[in-house]
Amino acid sequence: VKMTRDYQRKKSNPWILPANLYRQTLYAIRDYDRLKSEYEEEIRLICGVMDGQPRGTKIGDPTANTAIRLERIYSRIKAIEEAKKEIPEEYIKGVWQNILYAAPFPHDAGRATYSRYKSKFVYEVAKKLSFL
């Protein structure tokens, strides 16, 4: 994956974030695929193990620990997916590809339009992850 400098539009940007918060949010978004596969794998493992029989000698509450971890992962996934809904559908793919893979914006709309929606998307994710 080729990464470019993480640039945040400064001019006419109502969704400006402090530089470190902006990068933290970008990396949270870039972690989406890993989180999604980790969540799905964990759910698959839980469903395969549940046969009603007690297991092992683990001290503590491994079920609660797993539930807490899954809830944390799910809340991050949900925040990103909810923020996607704030952007018009025709711009999501271009913004998503740009953030995750540093792909250039498509030519079906102006660069400023895509930049504006990218800023809004990153801001909404930061808000939904309680970074703000």
Side-chain angles (χ1 to χ4, degrees), residues 33-58:
D33 289 337
R34 185 193 65 81
L35 289 173
K36 190 103 170 150
S37 65
E38 185 178 322
Y39 182 80
E40 289 167 358
E41 178 66 15
E42 194 72 37
I43 294 293
R44 190 184 64 73
L45 288 173
I46 289 171
C47 291
V49 172
M50 298 292 216
D51 63 1
Q53 298 299 312
R55 289 267 185 271
T57 58
K58 286 187 179 179

Side-chain angles (χ1 to χ4, degrees), residues 57-121:
T57 58
K58 286 187 179 179
I59 297 173
D61 194 348
T63 304
N65 293 339
T66 300
I68 291 166
R69 187 172 69 255
L70 283 174
E71 177 56 34
R72 184 181 49 77
I73 292 170
Y74 178 74
S75 67
R76 290 179 76 94
I77 292 169
K78 186 177 177 208
I80 294 166
E81 290 174 350
E82 289 293 316
K84 274 183 169 181
K85 294 176 185 174
E86 305 278 333
I87 308 301
E89 196 173 314
E90 60 268 24
Y91 301 111
I92 282 294
K93 185 177 180 187
V95 167
W96 188 254
Q97 295 290 315
N98 179 265
I99 292 172
L100 263 59
Y101 310 112
F105 291 127
H107 297 293
D108 58 353
R111 181 173 174 76
T113 302
Y114 272 105
S115 294
R116 185 171 49 253
Y117 285 121
K118 178 181 177 180
S119 294
K120 182 177 182 185
F121 175 63

